[in-house]
Amino acid sequence: ANSVKLILTFFLVFSTPENDCSTFYLIRHAEKVRTDKSNKDPKLNNKGIARALSWNEYFADKEISKIYSTNFKRTLETIKPIQESTDLYPMIYSPSDIDYENFVTSNKGEVVLIVGHSNTIPDFVNGLIKDSIYSQIDDLNNSNLYIVNICDYNISHKLIQVN
């Protein structure tokens, strides 16, 4: 019994659990209806609905454990297929009201999807990586995917296009 206890102690002391690492996927909402310029909360158009379905396929094997979204029809519709296939309910956030240090700490070990806007997602990424690298997304670009990995104090990030 002592040798089992010793081996277990050795394992607990010398293993670094993977769950200290967090992965953040950040996307802008899919294509929106643009017919009424005065509508500040439009829904997705047909192309946007198709993109939402393809985001669902992309994230199917990513083991998303939390979803954050702004409280707009276009962001909530973008994640609806993912929400339905994962049974995860989105947590609503306000881009202007984020303490990035606290956000990272409270999502330690998670695989997080964050959905926002062309003028908020790059700032969110910059906040997570503690550097001003990414600039505003072009208004006609809905295919950017930012991936941020944080393991203890090691931060890696990249931007890819998913069409």
Side-chain angles (χ1 to χ4, degrees), residues 17-28:
E18 267 184 49
N19 64 4
D20 279 356
C21 295
S22 308
T23 302
F24 300 94
Y25 293 100
L26 299 96
I27 61 173
R28 177 191 181 196

Side-chain angles (χ1 to χ4, degrees), residues 49-116:
I49 292 166
R51 184 179 300 276
L53 292 169
S54 54
W55 279 129
N56 184 43
E57 285 176 36
Y58 179 87
F59 288 114
D61 63 350
K62 303 293 187 277
E63 298 181 12
I64 301 293
S65 56
K66 287 185 178 179
I67 301 173
Y68 289 87
S69 176
T70 57
N71 197 15
F72 287 88
K73 290 174 187 160
R74 60 192 175 274
T75 50
L76 293 168
E77 287 179 4
T78 298
I79 56 162
K80 192 172 197 302
I82 299 165
Q83 180 186 343
E84 289 171 350
S85 64
T86 60
D87 285 332
L88 293 173
Y89 195 78
M91 289 171 272
I92 303 300
Y93 75 94
S94 171
S96 60
D97 191 31
I98 294 179
D99 174 343
Y100 293 104
E101 197 107 347
N102 184 44
F103 186 85
V104 169
T105 303
S106 64
N107 288 293
K108 195 170 197 158
E110 302 286 349
V111 179
V112 181
L113 173 61
I114 302 156
V115 186

Side-chain angles (χ1 to χ4, degrees), residues 89-155:
Y89 195 78
M91 289 171 272
I92 303 300
Y93 75 94
S94 171
S96 60
D97 191 31
I98 294 179
D99 174 343
Y100 293 104
E101 197 107 347
N102 184 44
F103 186 85
V104 169
T105 303
S106 64
N107 288 293
K108 195 170 197 158
E110 302 286 349
V111 179
V112 181
L113 173 61
I114 302 156
V115 186
H117 307 269
S118 62
N119 61 341
T120 66
I121 284 297
D123 287 341
F124 204 124
V125 177
N126 291 336
L128 292 175
I129 66 174
K130 303 176 185 174
D131 202 350
S132 295
I133 291 181
Y134 299 104
S135 53
Q136 190 166 320
I137 303 168
D138 182 273
D139 191 43
L140 297 177
N141 176 357
N142 298 82
S143 62
N144 279 10
L145 170 61
Y146 302 83
I147 304 170
V148 177
N149 288 297
I150 302 176
C151 291
D152 295 320
Y153 299 102
N154 298 321
I155 300 172

